[in-house]
Amino acid sequence: MSASEPMISIGAAARRSGLAASALRFYEAEGLIRTTRSAGGRRYFSRSELRRIAFIRAAQAAGLSLAEIKAALAALPDNRTPTKQDWARLSRGWRDLLDERIGAMARLRDSLSSCIGCGCLSQKVCRIYNPD
């Protein structure tokens, strides 16, 4: 965050990002976003943090966990705000992970129909709990 960069309140950041202020406080506590505090302890965000918030939301929509997102943000030089090029590079790296998850969800979807009449959910015979 640059000292000359315009700052916005947590309420304004919440409105602009579409998230609750509590979510922004959580993201800050988790080290995903940064704030500056006033002498009275009020949180202020640089406008560039809105891009980080958008990055977080897009990555979550793609199915990534906050831990995976935090690792991606930490890999950026100087913990900077992600650029379009950063998103392209990071999303290429997530492709195999997402393909694996899509495959697992498709297998789960296809297995569900065999459970409709069974209902056992036995760890020994249920194909959902014990695919092997």
Side-chain angles (χ1 to χ4, degrees):
M1 274 186 269
S2 165
S4 63
E5 193 172 1
M7 304 298 281
I8 59 174
S9 70
I10 191 169
R15 281 189 300 281
R16 290 188 61 185
S17 68
L19 292 172
S22 59
L24 296 176
R25 288 189 293 273
F26 176 77
Y27 286 172
E28 178 192 15
E30 292 296 309
L32 295 164
I33 58 175
R34 302 168 300 244
T35 63
T36 299
R37 299 289 179 113
S38 70
R42 293 186 58 164
R43 288 174 175 88
Y44 287 93
F45 294 82
S46 67
R47 291 178 187 255
S48 64
E49 287 303 296
L50 292 174
R51 180 179 289 265
R52 285 178 73 91
I53 294 165
F55 176 91
I56 293 164
R57 294 193 70 192
Q60 283 182 304
L64 297 169
S65 70
L66 288 180
E68 291 163 332
I69 297 166
K70 185 175 183 177
L73 289 169
L76 296 174
D78 300 321
N79 206 22
R80 73 165 189 261
T81 299
T83 64
K84 182 178 180 180
Q85 292 77 22
D86 292 325
W87 177 261
R89 181 179 47 79
L90 291 167
S91 64
R92 277 191 306 273
W94 294 328
R95 190 172 191 82
D96 290 341
L97 173 68
L98 295 175
D99 285 343
E100 184 179 306
R101 288 181 183 171
I102 290 167
M105 292 298 290
R107 286 187 299 279
L108 175 61
R109 178 202 60 216
D110 295 345
S111 299
L112 286 176
S113 61
S114 65
C115 290
I116 290 174
C118 172
C120 71
L121 296 180
S122 164
Q123 290 189 356
K124 291 182 181 178
V125 293
C126 180
R127 295 189 68 180
I128 293 175
Y129 281 126
N130 188 359
D132 297 324

